[in-house]
Amino acid sequence: MNRSGFPLIAWLLVGLLGIAAMLMSLGEQDTQVAPQVDSYSPSGISAFAEILKRQGFPIVVDQQPTYRANPNDVVINFVRKNSDDILMATQDAEDHFQTFFWSSIAKGATGIVVPLDLDYLKASQTASRNQPDTVKDTLTGEVFKVSRSRPADVEMDEPDGPATSVSFTIWTSKDQPFLKAHRVNNGTALVVRDGIGMTNRFIDHHDNARAFVSIVSMYLKPGGRVIFAEASFGNIHERGLLETIGPWANAAWQQLLFFGVVVVLTLGIRFGYAEESRRKQRGARELLEGLSDTFRRAKATDLALGTAWKRADSDLRLMLKLPKDASRAERDRHLPPSLQTALGRLEASMSMEQVSPDQALELIKRSQIEMDAFVGSHRLRLRRLAKLKT
């Protein structure tokens, strides 16, 4: 039995090609770093965000240039740097965000600065070749193995923000600071030496997950949230008017649209019984005027004369109770001479080629007058005869 369409082997090949394309897409390298929370690419941080969620930390993704943070929240600020280990912002929007971030720290907020190489492909290759850093907590003595994409002898970057009043090292690696805390007026900023271990490709290597979760939990207060400020690397979403007003405005707008659709649908649908259209009944006079107007416009006087003669002949035969096959002479035997003359002229005019409307109207009126006179006298005679019989 032959089957139409693609054979089974063709569908299998198409499925294999789709799976191969998906695997290639998932396994491709990122050329530039993009630490987005919803990204599953190598430079994304979706795995780290999922780990925080499973640890019970509330997660908030903020894409606004000016985020809103509570005093108990911790804001993660990703700073991209070039190959010369210089902290940089590739867009004006990122510069504006950094200015806002450090001003919020000075007002009492808490933030974590995580530097990442702009060339993620080169940084990830370096981190794969290098041995992990042995990082030690100076307070508790706890040791972590953390991925390293920078040379071990390179000094730690200082924050590109306002002057710090107090700064001290929290974690060290080979006598080099790995995590420093900077006191800026009323706020605190934690600066990490290398943040590549937070990305999806390296979060499961060594002690990266445990180390960065410890950094986040270090200053997160009860009731606080972990805010990923994605505007720090250019992933900015400006709030619209409805978002600025609040969530209730968006809900009200959706309800208004739904109400409009309901109104349009209900106006187009009739409820109840359908209205019956009652036609006005026309009278005999209007019918006669319509027929005469039709004959007049068509210049069909012969049709009008023929219609009038046939109607008169039919009425006379019916009134005189003559059979249908009765001759004209037998019919005229009961008629007065004046009516015979009127009907004869009416019948003769039917065969004429040109009869003016006025002449045709005069002939029809004359036959009608004679018909009314004969019918009236004949009915009166029948009525008298009926009384005599009674």
Side-chain angles (χ1 to χ4, degrees):
M1 179 178 179
N2 294 329
R3 295 183 179 179
S4 59
F6 284 145
L8 180 59
I9 185 65
W11 287 112
L12 292 176
L13 290 177
V14 171
L16 291 176
L17 287 176
I19 295 174
M22 183 180 64
L23 292 177
M24 290 176 64
S25 176
L26 293 176
E28 64 182 359
Q29 291 285 354
D30 287 346
T31 55
Q32 288 192 354
V33 67
Q36 299 180 13
V37 174
D38 60 350
S39 174
Y40 295 92
S41 62
S43 66
I45 58 169
S46 58
F48 177 65
E50 184 64 25
I51 292 174
L52 292 178
K53 288 181 182 179
R54 295 186 179 184
Q55 293 292 326
F57 297 103
I59 302 299
V60 175
V61 180
D62 197 308
Q63 298 175 349
Q64 304 302 316
T66 55
Y67 57 84
R68 297 179 181 178
N70 299 323
N72 296 338
D73 297 339
V74 172
V75 181
I76 299 180
N77 175 17
F78 296 97
V79 180
R80 301 189 295 181
K81 63 184 187 318
N82 59 16
S83 57
D84 296 330
D85 295 326
I86 300 175
L87 295 177
M88 63 175 297
T90 58
Q91 299 178 1
D92 293 339
E94 297 180 35
D95 292 331
H96 296 160
F97 174 83
Q98 297 301 330
T99 302
F100 173 79
F101 173 79
W102 288 107
S103 64
S104 65
I105 294 297
K107 294 177 182 179
T110 302
I112 301 176
V113 180
V114 182
L116 292 170
D117 281 307
L118 183 62
D119 188 353
Y120 184 78
L121 179 59
K122 180 180 178 181
S124 61
Q125 291 174 350
T126 303
S128 299
R129 292 192 303 265
N130 292 340
Q131 294 294 326
D133 272 345
T134 301
V135 180
K136 183 178 181 181
D137 191 332
T138 57
L139 298 178
T140 63
E142 189 175 4
V143 177
F144 304 95
K145 296 288 185 179
V146 182
S147 297
R148 173 172 58 87
S149 63
R150 308 176 66 186
D153 56 350
V154 175
E155 294 183 359
M156 184 176 184
D157 297 315
E158 292 298 326
D160 188 15
T164 58
S165 58
V166 178
S167 62
F168 55 93
T169 302
I170 301 178
W171 290 0
T172 60
S173 173
K174 297 180 181 179
D175 299 330
Q176 291 287 341
F178 182 85
L179 178 65
K180 292 183 68 174
H182 299 268
R183 188 70 178 177
V184 182
N185 293 344
N186 298 325
T188 303
L190 301 176
V191 181
V192 182
R193 183 173 183 271
D194 192 350
I196 195 170
M198 189 182 290
T199 60
N200 291 336
R201 182 172 182 180
F202 296 98
I203 190 65
D204 60 337
H205 293 187
H206 314 299
D207 298 327
N208 291 335
R210 187 165 61 91
F212 286 103
V213 170
S214 298
I215 295 174
V216 171
S217 62
M218 193 174 298
Y219 280 86
L220 184 64
K221 300 176 183 178
R225 303 168 300 169
V226 180
I227 301 177
F228 290 92
E230 294 193 350
S232 59
F233 55 92
N235 188 21
I236 297 175
H237 171 69
E238 296 287 350
R239 284 193 180 96
L241 178 61
L242 297 179
E243 294 178 339
T244 304
I245 297 175
W248 67 269
N250 189 25
W253 172 247
Q254 298 295 333
Q255 292 180 1
L256 183 61
L257 290 178
F258 179 75
F259 177 74
V261 172
V262 171
V263 169
V264 171
L265 292 178
T266 53
L267 289 178
I269 300 175
R270 182 182 299 276
F271 292 94
Y273 294 104
E275 295 182 358
E276 296 182 0
S277 58
R278 297 181 179 179
R279 296 182 179 181
K280 184 179 180 181
Q281 187 175 2
R282 303 294 181 180
R285 182 179 180 82
E286 294 180 356
L287 178 60
L288 181 61
E289 290 178 353
L291 290 174
S292 63
D293 183 66
T294 302
F295 289 147
R296 185 183 300 110
R297 286 187 287 105
K299 296 181 180 181
T301 55
D302 55 340
L303 295 177
L305 293 170
T307 301
W309 184 86
K310 290 180 180 179
R311 180 64 182 271
D313 181 70
S314 177
D315 290 345
L316 289 172
R317 290 177 181 275
L318 180 63
M319 184 181 62
L320 297 175
K321 297 181 179 180
L322 297 174
K324 293 182 179 181
D325 56 350
S327 63
R328 187 182 306 171
E330 187 177 358
R331 183 202 67 182
D332 293 344
R333 186 168 56 86
H334 301 281
L335 302 180
S338 58
L339 180 57
Q340 294 180 15
T341 303
L343 292 177
R345 291 179 179 179
L346 188 63
E347 185 179 6
S349 63
M350 293 168 48
S351 59
M352 297 177 63
E353 295 183 356
Q354 292 184 352
V355 179
S356 65
D358 295 336
Q359 293 176 353
L361 182 61
E362 181 65 25
L363 291 172
I364 293 174
K365 284 184 177 180
R366 174 54 55 186
S367 63
Q368 188 66 38
I369 291 172
E370 294 296 335
M371 279 285 298
D372 291 342
F374 174 73
V375 171
S377 61
H378 187 72
R379 286 178 178 174
L380 180 60
R381 195 180 308 115
L382 292 177
R383 193 178 298 114
R384 290 176 180 175
L385 182 61
K387 287 182 178 180
L388 290 175
K389 289 182 178 181
T390 57

